[in-house]
Every structure is written in structure tokens, then in C-alpha cells.
């Protein structure tokens, strides 16, 4: 199951990079040297070898080469002194096949359709995750792929929360960038957005939903039925 979760994330990054004409691939890994955006600027699908790690160090001086490297499971990077561990996310999944969602309809949540909402989505994501989430990069994926659907939570005309559903090539539903502004926290907005994404995923015929949660977010998603199967670890090259 952990491989299924990670594949969804990496396929999503591959799609976004491709649609923004910024996906690069070496014999050892993929990466997206996207300009003016921290997302999805990552090295990923990294081969577990010394040669792969040497290639990262060699490419690091290249313009816009990503500073972050994402891996999952046991990997040589964990024991290489040239790299610094940054943070981890919990790889979580739940079955949708027999799930009966008692979720109440939330009229404050609706699907993103116009440029103004994409800009608001990018603002929420930037504030919530503390990295620059470029609206144009996101818009290119949203407008060019029916695999990607975005939703926002609006209250009295102000967008306070966001979340994205990405259905990969195996019909696995990935829940991504679920976040809220500080003014919207402690109101259950993140949970409501998650429920809306799960409902959408089930309506689209997906049998599994996956996500990558922070350590603090893990118990919240567990209450909805998600189970933890592994970790996604992020590293950087030491200065």
C-alpha cells in the first residue's frame, strides 16, 4: 500500500511538471526546475544508489535545480553525510469500496472554476504550507487535465480553505494541499474539505483514497478512516 500512496504523489508531480514544460528526467531520478514556485519543485523517484546521490550533488549548481529530495522507505540518502534530513510526512490510505459516508453537504465548499478562485487557492496554500504555491503553475494543471479537481471553502465571500483531488492512472484518489488560513482554523474546515474530496473520489469510481499527512494531521485523518502505511521523507543537500 505504501508504494501505491507514493506513486500517486509522484505521478501528480510528474503531471504538473509535464503540463508546465518543466519536467526533467535523468537515469536516476525526476525533477521539476519550475521557476517562481516552490511546488512541485522536488527531486523524486530517486534510485537507491550512490550514483543517484552523486548525480544530485553534481546538478545542484544548475539553475532552479530543486533544493528538496523526496524519498520513501529505506534509502542510501539516509546514511549519506552530504544530505540533511528536513521533515517527514505520514503516508495514509483508506478503502472507498464499501465506505458509507455520513458526511453532511457543505454549501460553503465548491469546485474551483475561475482565475480569481485559483489565485485565492494559491494564497491559502502558500500561507498554510509556508512555501510559494504558484497560481499559474497550478492553473496549467487544473485547466489541462481532468485528473485534477480543486475545491475551496468560502465564508462570507472569503476563501479560507483549499484542497485538491488527483485521480491517477490506476484510479487511486490522491488528496493534496488540504489547508486553511489562520482565520479559518479550529472550525473543522480541513475536515469538511477532506470529506468533500472523499465524496468526489467515490463518485468518480475510485476504490482507494491516499494522502500525505503531517505528524499533527495524522490523528485527524485517522478518525476519518485513514491508516498509516509508511513515511515520505524530505532531504536537502548540506551547504
Amino acid at each position: 500500500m505504501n508504494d501505491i500512496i507514493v506513486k500517486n504523489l509522484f505521478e501528480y508531480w510528474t503531471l504538473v511538471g509535464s503540463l508546465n514544460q518543466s519536467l526533467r528526467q535523468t537515469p536516476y531520478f525526476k525533477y521539476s526546475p519550475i521557476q517562481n514556485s516552490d511546488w512541485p519543485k522536488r527531486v523524486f523517484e530517486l534510485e537507491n544508489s550512490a550514483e543517484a546521490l552523486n548525480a544530485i550533488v553534481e546538478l545542484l549548481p544548475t539553475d532552479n535545480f530543486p533544493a528538496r529530495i523526496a524519498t520513501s522507505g529505506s534509502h542510501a540518502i539516509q546514511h549519506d553525510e552530504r544530505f540533511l534530513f528536513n521533515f517527514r510526512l505520514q503516508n495514509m490510505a483508506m478503502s472507498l469500496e464499501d465506505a458509507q459516508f455520513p458526511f453532511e453537504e457543505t454549501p460553503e465548499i465548491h469546485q474551483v472554476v475561475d482565475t480569481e478562485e485559483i489565485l485565492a487557492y494559491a494564497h491559502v496554500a502558500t500561507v498554510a504550507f509556508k512555501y510559494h504555491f504558484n497560481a499559474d503553475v497550478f492553473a496549467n494543471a487544473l485547466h489541462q487535465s481532468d485528473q485534477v479537481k480543486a475545491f475551496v471553502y468560502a465564508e462570507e465571500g472569503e476563501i479560507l480553505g483549499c484542497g485538491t483531488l488527483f485521480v491517477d492512472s490506476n484510479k487511486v484518489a490522491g488528496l493534496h494541499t488540504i489547508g486553511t488560513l489562520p482565520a479559518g482554523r479550529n472550525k473543522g474546515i480541513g475536515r469538511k474539505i477532506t470529506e468533500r474530496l472523499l465524496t468526489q473520489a467515490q463518485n468518480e469510481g475510485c476504490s482507494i483514497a491516499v494522502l500525505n499527512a503531517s505528524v499533527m494531521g495524522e490523528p485527524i485523518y485517522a478518525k476519518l478512516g485513514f491508516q498509516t502505511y509508511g513515511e515520505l521523507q524530505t532531504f536537502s543537500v548540506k551547504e
Side-chain angles (χ1 to χ4, degrees):
M1 181 59 75
N2 190 62
D3 290 343
I4 292 173
I5 300 167
V6 174
K7 178 186 179 300
N8 181 275
L9 178 64
F10 289 174
E11 186 176 326
Y12 184 33
W13 288 351
T14 297
L15 176 71
V16 175
S18 297
L19 294 177
N20 282 277
Q21 300 181 343
S22 67
L23 181 69
R24 305 289 185 269
Q25 187 162 358
T26 76
Y28 307 110
F29 53 80
K30 293 179 181 178
Y31 67 100
S32 292
I34 291 178
Q35 297 186 10
N36 303 316
S37 183
D38 295 324
W39 175 87
K41 200 170 185 178
R42 295 287 190 273
V43 173
F44 59 102
E45 293 188 17
L46 177 65
E47 180 182 291
N48 190 0
S49 69
E51 291 81 5
L53 300 180
N54 290 339
I56 290 176
V57 174
E58 291 173 4
L59 279 171
L60 190 63
T62 306
D63 287 345
N64 295 309
F65 188 80
R68 305 289 188 186
I69 305 122
T71 68
S72 185
S74 178
H75 196 285
I77 196 172
Q78 298 164 352
H79 311 290
D80 193 311
E81 294 183 352
R82 295 173 297 176
F83 297 88
L84 178 69
F85 171 76
N86 300 137
F87 61 89
R88 61 173 51 87
L89 296 174
Q90 306 305 112
N91 295 334
M92 306 186 75
M94 69 177 291
S95 173
L96 300 176
E97 289 185 337
D98 301 317
Q100 298 294 324
F101 297 140
F103 303 147
E104 296 181 3
E105 185 174 344
T106 305
E108 293 87 356
I109 297 176
H110 61 274
Q111 190 170 343
V112 172
V113 293
D114 59 33
T115 300
E116 184 177 345
E117 289 179 341
I118 291 174
L119 290 171
Y121 186 114
H123 172 67
V124 174
T126 296
V127 173
F129 298 103
K130 297 181 174 62
Y131 59 71
H132 181 47
F133 188 95
N134 188 292
D136 291 335
V137 171
F138 187 53
N140 285 336
L142 201 60
H143 290 155
Q144 296 181 58
S145 175
D146 58 7
Q147 293 176 265
V148 183
K149 292 181 176 64
F151 297 83
V152 290
Y153 180 102
E155 199 171 85
E156 296 181 355
E158 182 181 6
I159 291 178
L160 299 174
C162 66
T164 290
L165 175 70
F166 169 67
V167 179
D168 68 24
S169 56
N170 291 326
K171 292 291 285 185
V172 173
L175 282 55
H176 301 276
T177 44
I178 300 172
T180 59
L181 292 178
R185 289 171 190 162
N186 300 316
K187 295 183 177 182
I189 292 174
R191 176 182 56 79
K192 291 175 182 177
I193 292 173
T194 302
E195 292 173 350
R196 178 66 182 85
L197 296 177
L198 288 172
T199 301
Q200 182 70 30
Q202 195 173 52
N203 290 342
E204 295 197 18
C206 298
S207 59
I208 299 172
V210 302
L211 54 80
N212 311 96
S214 66
V215 175
M216 291 182 62
E218 183 179 13
I220 298 172
Y221 293 114
K223 289 180 180 179
L224 289 170
F226 283 89
Q227 295 182 355
T228 301
Y229 292 92
E231 289 184 348
L232 185 81
Q233 298 184 336
T234 298
F235 296 83
S236 59
V237 180
K238 288 183 180 178
E239 296 181 357

